[in-house]
Amino acid sequence: MDALIDLVNTIFWGYILIYGLLAVGVYFTFRLRLIQILHFPEMLRSVLRADATDKSGITPFQALCTSLASRVGTGNIAGVAVALTLGGPGAIFWMWVVAALGMATAFAESTLAQLYKVKDEQGRYRGGPAFYIARGLKAPWAGGVFSVCLILSFGLVFNAVQANSIADAMHGAFEIPKLWTGLAVAALSGVIIFGGIAAIARTAELVVPFMALAYVALALYALVTHLGAVPAMLGHIVGSAFGLEPAAGGVSGAVAAAMLNGVKRGLFSNEAGMGSAPNIAAVATPDPHHPVSQGFVQSLGVFIDTIVICTATALLILLSGVELGTVTGTQLTQAALEAHVGGLGRYFIAIAIFFFAFTSIIGNYSYAENALVFLGHGHVSGVVILRLGVLAMVVWGAIQSVATVFNLADASMGLMASINLVAIVLLSGTVVRLAQDYLAKRKSGVEPLFIASEMSDLPPGVDGEIWKRKR
């Protein structure tokens, strides 16, 4: 069984997704005419506005924070350290490239999620890849497969992995027994997720900005205290990415290692194209009332995750003087921070891992709940069973080695991401049409409002009641 899972993961993550995610990022970057670069200010404008009259969804800022809660996890601390160890400083440059391309992919999938969203029995917005696959491509079976894979990977197994990271960090820093940590995390998670997606959004809105700003503040401290070394370090990153500096193993080998590890770390961190973040993007009430505005919001999420937070980790390490290769993962980040702020660094990293991983748990759950609604089990009993399953996995993950199950989740996520990539490419014409409509209205000085009945060239499947003219 393990050999079969490893083979599937090799196919997905060694070939299909590494090249597929990059290719789709390039495709949307050029088809949307560098929208993520030329219209960056629109991302900030879209996330800071909120329509208080529509109670069916959450605000754009809450949607951004909830998607960041899932995106920003232990990989931003440990994963970047691994990329630096295996790929050298040049890996960071390729992370930046992947993020820039991924912003276009995130724009596309989240715009589609908004367009094809629906209202559930309680009048709340629901949507995501399963919905635009079923309604836009008329392939409900593929939406069903996607939903099952998302619940298995994001809803259950990845939450066990995050709990395992929290338990390891708490035990290493404070010698707290892992079982007690697992029970505490499960209890805290239960309080929030039993409040539903609205409670998750409110929690993310409070915790994520605090978490991110505190972490980035330490990186800024490292920059200020080593300001004279920053230009040379940036040059070192770019030079290493293109083999312009001497390296062990030869120039071609160093460039290949930097590119491979930077690309992988960037893809895994920002999740653009995976089909995860669109599940919460669909729940938002966009302002302006147009699907594209939420596309801009989630594109900004990729920028914050990789360009800001992953870069913060990289600079903390590279400016610390700690030699790459002595330790790796969380230990490397801890050693780097200790070099900057002393023994306090070890405890700060443990606390940061707690917040990063905890918010990932509640963010991942919100995705799984949306998938459950698509499968027709969004009634009270189905949601309660899912929530109890998530909490049980949190406790189990805190005390177990999750390597084998994590490999299974990787395979499941690989399948769901592959389905999503095919879907957004097939629906790319719709994304382009919506982007053109939004930007043309913005350019003419008109508020970019989307009215489904006024855009007859769109494919069927859009809920006309949601996208009608507001009074």
Side-chain angles (χ1 to χ4, degrees):
M1 185 65 176
D2 286 349
L4 178 60
I5 293 173
D6 287 340
L7 175 62
V8 171
N9 279 330
T10 298
I11 294 172
F12 275 135
W13 296 105
Y15 301 97
I16 296 176
L17 288 178
I18 290 295
Y19 298 108
L21 287 164
L22 282 175
V24 171
V26 171
Y27 173 74
F28 277 110
T29 293
F30 286 99
R31 185 144 195 213
L32 293 170
R33 299 182 180 181
L34 305 178
I35 193 169
Q36 73 272 41
I37 298 171
L38 299 181
H39 298 282
F40 188 85
E42 195 65 34
M43 299 179 194
L44 302 175
R45 189 191 333 231
S46 296
V47 79
L48 295 175
R49 294 181 54 168
D51 182 354
T53 64
D54 189 344
K55 303 301 183 182
S56 298
I58 60 178
T59 69
F61 184 68
Q62 288 176 330
L64 172 67
C65 289
T66 306
S67 67
L68 283 174
S70 177
R71 280 190 176 107
V72 179
T74 53
N76 293 74
I77 293 177
V80 174
V82 171
L84 282 170
T85 302
L86 298 179
I92 305 307
F93 174 84
W94 295 111
M95 285 174 56
W96 296 337
V97 172
V98 166
L101 296 174
M103 288 169 71
T105 307
F107 173 91
E109 60 183 355
S110 294
T111 295
L112 289 170
Q114 267 287 311
L115 177 67
Y116 288 104
K117 68 184 179 183
V118 299
K119 284 187 178 181
D120 64 12
E121 296 174 354
Q122 286 75 42
R124 297 169 300 194
Y125 291 136
R126 299 287 187 175
F131 292 81
Y132 58 70
I133 290 168
R135 298 170 73 87
L137 295 178
K138 305 302 179 186
W141 65 270
V145 173
F146 177 93
S147 296
V148 171
C149 289
L150 187 146
I151 292 172
L152 175 62
S153 54
F154 280 84
L156 299 175
V157 179
F158 288 168
N159 283 339
V161 175
Q162 296 293 345
N164 188 268
S165 298
I166 294 174
D168 278 343
M170 293 297 107
H171 184 265
F174 305 106
E175 298 185 355
I176 299 174
K178 293 184 177 182
L179 176 59
W180 288 110
T181 298
L183 291 171
V185 173
L188 288 172
S189 301
V191 169
I192 296 170
I193 67 176
F194 269 91
I197 287 182
I200 292 172
R202 288 193 298 269
T203 303
E205 184 180 28
L206 294 174
V207 175
V208 171
F210 165 77
M211 170 188 72
L213 288 173
Y215 194 70
V216 172
L218 276 176
L220 290 175
Y221 172 79
L223 282 174
V224 170
T225 54
H226 297 80
L227 198 57
V230 171
M233 183 57 67
L234 294 175
H236 183 41
I237 289 173
V238 176
S240 298
F242 293 97
L244 302 179
E245 299 183 3
V251 172
S252 60
V255 171
M259 183 179 295
L260 177 63
N261 286 283
V263 167
K264 281 187 175 182
R265 179 63 258 147
L267 293 175
F268 294 166
S269 178
N270 63 52
E271 297 181 13
M274 299 288 185
S276 51
N279 289 277
I280 201 67
V283 178
T285 298
D287 192 2
H289 187 66
H290 197 293
V292 163
S293 65
Q294 187 55 216
F296 278 124
V297 169
Q298 295 305 324
S299 186
L300 181 63
V302 174
F303 178 87
I304 294 172
D305 172 83
T306 305
I307 304 297
V308 177
I309 298 178
C310 285
T311 301
T313 299
L315 291 176
L316 280 172
I317 294 171
L318 293 174
L319 294 171
S320 69
V322 176
E323 185 177 350
L324 298 179
T326 52
V327 290
T328 189
T330 302
Q331 290 181 333
L332 176 57
T333 309
Q334 282 180 322
L337 195 53
E338 284 187 57
H340 289 295
V341 299
L344 182 64
R346 175 178 300 276
Y347 301 109
F348 180 87
I349 290 297
I351 294 170
I353 285 176
F354 172 83
F355 280 111
F356 278 35
F358 174 71
T359 54
S360 288
I361 290 171
I362 62 174
N364 289 345
Y365 167 77
S366 70
Y367 299 164
E369 185 178 302
N370 249 20
L372 193 70
V373 170
F374 175 83
L375 293 172
H377 297 289
H379 43 74
V380 174
S381 59
V383 170
V384 169
I385 291 172
L386 174 63
R387 290 170 179 172
L388 292 175
V390 169
L391 300 182
M393 289 296 285
V394 166
V395 176
W396 177 85
I399 60 176
Q400 297 291 332
S401 171
V402 293
T404 299
V405 183
F406 189 55
N407 286 340
L408 177 60
D410 271 346
S412 177
M413 185 172 68
L415 177 57
M416 78 176 229
S418 298
I419 293 172
N420 184 57
L421 288 179
V422 172
I424 62 176
V425 169
L426 291 177
L427 291 168
S428 60
T430 299
V431 177
V432 173
R433 179 70 181 87
L434 289 170
Q436 290 172 340
D437 177 71
Y438 185 98
L439 296 175
K441 289 176 178 175
R442 179 66 78 193
K443 185 176 181 179
S444 65
V446 176
E447 180 81 348
L449 300 179
F450 170 70
I451 312 299
S453 60
E454 295 177 359
M455 200 174 290
S456 59
D457 54 332
L458 285 179
V462 178
D463 189 326
E465 280 301 305
I466 291 176
W467 297 108
K468 64 182 180 181
R469 185 174 299 279
K470 289 193 170 187
R471 302 297 180 188

